[in-house]
Amino acid sequence: MLSPHYKLNKYESTQSTLSLDSCEYYQMEIFDQLPSIQASRPEQNKRGVLEACEDYQSGTEVEEKWSHGPLLKEPRRKRDKVSMQPLRNLAMCIQAKRDARDRRKMQISNIGFWESWRRSQSIARKRVWAQMGGALAGLLPWQHTLHAIEGRFGIGVKAYFVFLRYLIYLNLLHCALIWGFILGPTTFYGRSNSSEPLKFGANDSILDFFQGSGYLYRSPVFFGFYTRGSLNLPCLNTPLLYFAGILTILFLSLIMVTRRTIVGYKHTWLLGKRYSMNVSYKIFCGWDFTIQDSAAAVLKHSFIRNDLKLFLEEQSFSLREAERTLGQRMRLYLLRLVLNMLVLTLLSAAFCLIWFATGKSKDEHRHNWLVSLFLQYLPPITITFVNLFLPHVFHMILYFEDYSITTQVNTTLVRSIFLKLASLGIYLFFFITLAEHQKHECKENQFGREIYKLCIFNFLATFCSAFLLNYPRKLLQEKYPGSLLARLLGKQQFLIPLNVLDLVYSQTVTWVGVYYCPLLPLIGTVILMATFYIKKFTVLRCCTPEQRLFRASNSSVLFHFMLLLGLLMAAVILGFNLYQQEATPDNMSSCGPFRNSETVFNVTAVCVDSLPSLAQSTLRYLASEAFALPLILAEIIILTSYVSRGRANQKAIERLKEMLVMSSSDKRFLVKQHATMLRRKKNNLQRPL
C-alpha cells in the first residue's frame, strides 16, 4: 500500500492534468453546466474522468487506466521531457510555477540520486545551449542595423535586408565550393603546358574590367582559363571536377531555397487568413520590461506602433471590401481586366526593345572606343532601363485596382519578376541565336562576358540610383521643401517589391553565369555587400516610412519562390547549352576544360567505364528508363504520406481552435456564475434578520 505522500509525489507533476483539486472540480455540479461539456464532451469521457478521479483518491494505480482514456495519451517519456523544461518556458502564472518548483523538489527527494543528477544535467545543458544560441545570434552581422531599420520602417523593410544577408551567405557557400572543386585543383596541379602564362599585356587597359576583355578575359574569371593540367585520372580530372562543382552549387542552392520556401509557406499557411492579432495582448503584454536603454525603448515603441497600424489598415480594407455592392464589384473587375491588358502590352513592347538592342549590339562596323563601349553595353542598358521603368508603372497601376496592401505587393512582385526573368531569358536566347552565325574563338567566354557585363552594369545602376538620384532628391526636399519640383517629386519611400526584384535578378544572373564565369559568386558577394551599405544609406538617410505597411510573412514566401524560379531558369539554360553541344558537333567547346571534341557526356562515360562492373550496372540502371517507375512510385508514396499528415494536422488545428473558443466560453460562464454568487451573498447579508 502506497503512502499518501508518495502518491502525491508520483502523480502531482507539472505536466499531468490530474490533481486533487481537478478531481473535486470534476465532481462539482457546475462542471456539467459548462458550455464546452454540454456542446462536445460525450458521456463516456465524463465517466472515464470520474472513474480516474476515484482511483486517484483511493490510491490505486491511475496510470494503467488513464493511459486508455481520451485525455492522457502522451507517453511517459514525453511527459518526463516536458517536466524537465525550465520553469520560465512553462505557460503558468507565478504561483503555479512556485507550486511546480515545490513538486519538483518533492520528486527529486524520491527518484534517487542518479535520476536527479540526470535531470539537473539535462536542464543545465539546455541553459548552456540557450545562452550559446543567444550569444551567436548577437554575433550575426548587421544585427543592430536590422533592429534600427525595423524600428523606423517596420518588419517589411527589415525582411528585405534579411533576404539580402541570406544571399550573401549563399554566395559565400558558392565561393567555398568553387575553390574546392575548380580553383583549388587548378592552383595545385597547374594547367596544361600549352596554356599561356597569365600576365598583364601591353594592350590591356582599365576598360577591360568593364568589358570583360583583355587581361580579365584570360584570367580565372572565365571558362577558358581552366584546362586539364596534370590531374588527369579517369574519374578525377579537371573537366569532371569543374562539372561536379557547378552541379553541387545548383543542387545545394535548390535544397536551401526550397527548404526556406517550404518553411515560410508552412508558417504562412498556419497563420494566413486565420491569423487574428490580439490587440489587447499587443497593448498590455507586448512590452519588454527588461529594456533599460532609451534607444531600445524607442525601437520597441516603434515595433508596437507599426503592428497596430498594420492591423488597423487590414481591418479598414476588409470593411471597405465587405461594403461593396454587386455593381461596384463588376465595374472593379472590368477595370482590372483592362489594366491587365495594358500590362501585357507594356511587357510585349519591352521584349521587342530588348530584341532590337541585342541585334544592334552585334553591329560589326568599326567605331571609336566610346561608341563601341556603348554598343557593347546597349543590351544591359536596355534591360536595366526596362526593369527600372516598368515596375514603377505597375506600381502606379495597382492604385486603380484597389487591392489590399499585401496583395498589391504580391501582384507587383509577380508582374515584375515575370518582366525581369523573361527579359533576361529573351536576351540570352537572342544572344545564343546570333552567336551561332558568328565565329568566336571561345563561345563560352563570350557568353560569360555578357553575363559579367549584366552583373557589373546592374551594380552601377544601383550605385547611381542611390547617389545621383535619391540623395539629391532628399537634399532638395530638405533645403527647398516648398519648391514646385520638391512637391512634384514628393517624399521618397522604400519600395520593397522593386528592391527585392533587383536582388532576385542579380542572383539569377549569378546562377546563369556560374558555369561560364566561375568567379561570378565571388563578384556577386562583393556586389551584395556593397549593395547592403548602399541600401542602408538610402533607407536611413533618404527615405521616409511608408504610411501603409504589409505583413512580411505573407511576402517572404514569394521572395524565395521567385528565387527558386530564377534557379530553375539557370538550370534550364545550362542544360540547353550542354545538350546543344552534344547534338551539334559544330557547337563543341574549343577552350576550357572541355576541349578537343570533349563534352560533359563523353568525360562522364569514360569515368563510368573505368568503374567496376557492379558500379557500372548500378549507374546505368539509375540513368535508364526502368528506374523511372520505382522512382515515381516512391514519390507518390512520399507525397501521399505528406498530404495525409497535412490533413491530419489541419483537423487537429481546427479542433484546437474549437477548444480555445469553448475554453473562453467556459471562463465567461464561470465569471458570470461567480458574479451571481457574490450578488446573492451580498443580498443575503443586506437582508434584515
Side-chain angles (χ1 to χ4, degrees), residues 594-657:
F594 300 100
R595 61 176 68 187
N596 299 326
S597 300
E598 287 184 337
T599 62
V600 172
F601 304 97
N602 296 339
V603 175
T604 307
V606 171
C607 177
V608 172
D609 293 338
S610 65
L611 296 175
S613 58
L614 180 61
Q616 293 183 28
S617 303
T618 303
L619 291 177
R620 290 195 174 100
Y621 172 72
L622 294 177
S624 63
E625 294 83 358
F627 181 68
L629 181 60
L631 181 63
I632 293 174
L633 291 177
E635 291 178 352
I636 292 175
I637 294 174
I638 294 173
L639 290 176
T640 303
S641 65
Y642 275 102
V643 170
S644 302
R645 288 176 58 186
R647 291 177 179 175
N649 292 335
Q650 185 178 5
K651 292 180 181 179
I653 290 172
E654 296 299 331
R655 287 197 297 268
L656 290 174
K657 289 180 180 179

Side-chain angles (χ1 to χ4, degrees), residues 63-74:
E63 291 180 358
E64 296 180 357
K65 292 184 179 181
W66 198 259
S67 61
H68 302 286
L71 295 179
L72 190 59
K73 297 182 179 180
E74 294 182 351

Side-chain angles (χ1 to χ4, degrees), residues 10 23 63 80 99 129 165 178 189 283 317 371 457 491 542 564 629-630 687:
K10 183 174 183 180
C23 292
E63 291 180 358
D80 293 340
D99 296 339
W129 281 112
R165 185 175 64 180
I178 290 293
Y189 290 95
I283 295 176
F317 178 80
V371 176
F457 191 81
K491 294 182 179 180
C542 305
L564 185 61
L629 181 60
R687 185 178 302 172

Side-chain angles (χ1 to χ4, degrees), residues 272-288:
K273 296 181 180 179
R274 306 172 180 86
Y275 178 78
S276 178
M277 186 181 71
N278 193 337
V279 182
S280 61
Y281 173 79
K282 283 290 182 182
I283 295 176
F284 296 106
C285 303
W287 185 255
D288 187 2

Side-chain angles (χ1 to χ4, degrees), residues 398-610:
L398 279 174
Y399 284 107
F400 300 97
E401 293 180 314
D402 196 15
Y403 289 119
S404 65
I405 182 62
T406 304
T407 307
Q408 287 185 22
V409 172
N410 294 338
T411 305
T412 305
L413 285 172
V414 171
R415 291 173 178 173
S416 301
I417 195 59
F418 178 76
L419 168 67
K420 286 180 176 288
L421 295 184
S423 60
L424 178 61
I426 288 174
Y427 167 63
L428 295 178
F429 173 76
F430 290 157
F431 177 81
I432 294 173
T433 304
L434 293 174
E436 292 179 356
H437 305 288
Q438 298 177 356
K439 297 298 181 180
H440 292 289
E441 181 182 353
C442 184
K443 293 183 179 180
E444 286 79 6
N445 272 20
Q446 294 296 327
F447 195 86
R449 281 184 61 189
E450 298 300 321
I451 300 298
Y452 174 80
K453 287 188 290 186
L454 283 175
C455 187
I456 294 299
F457 191 81
N458 188 36
F459 172 71
L460 292 177
T462 302
F463 181 85
C464 295
S465 175
F467 294 101
L468 300 181
L469 293 178
N470 296 333
Y471 187 58
R473 177 180 172 183
K474 182 65 176 179
L475 292 179
L476 178 64
Q477 292 175 352
E478 289 179 350
K479 294 185 177 180
Y480 306 101
S483 62
L484 178 61
L485 183 59
R487 285 180 294 175
L488 288 176
L489 293 175
K491 294 182 179 180
Q492 183 178 352
Q493 295 177 347
F494 189 78
L495 300 179
I496 301 172
L498 307 186
N499 286 278
V500 169
L501 288 175
D502 292 336
L503 295 180
V504 174
Y505 174 77
S506 176
Q507 188 61 39
T508 303
V509 170
T510 302
W511 279 327
V512 169
V514 68
Y515 179 79
Y516 311 95
C517 186
L519 293 189
L520 203 59
L522 178 60
I523 299 173
T525 303
V526 176
I527 289 177
L528 287 175
M529 293 181 67
T531 302
F532 185 94
Y533 289 102
I534 292 174
K535 293 299 181 180
K536 172 188 173 183
F537 172 80
T538 303
V539 168
L540 298 178
R541 182 66 181 85
C542 305
C543 295
T544 58
E546 284 198 63
Q547 298 299 322
R548 304 178 67 189
L549 303 175
F550 78 102
R551 202 172 300 281
S553 59
N554 295 335
S555 296
S556 60
V557 178
L558 196 55
F559 295 168
H560 293 91
F561 180 73
M562 292 185 301
L563 200 62
L564 185 61
L565 290 180
L567 178 60
L568 294 178
M569 176 182 172
V572 168
I573 292 175
L574 177 60
F576 175 76
N577 286 341
L578 294 178
Y579 174 77
Q580 193 179 32
Q581 291 179 4
E582 181 69 17
T584 56
D586 295 338
N587 291 325
M588 285 188 177
S589 177
S590 60
C591 62
F594 300 100
R595 61 176 68 187
N596 299 326
S597 300
E598 287 184 337
T599 62
V600 172
F601 304 97
N602 296 339
V603 175
T604 307
V606 171
C607 177
V608 172
D609 293 338
S610 65

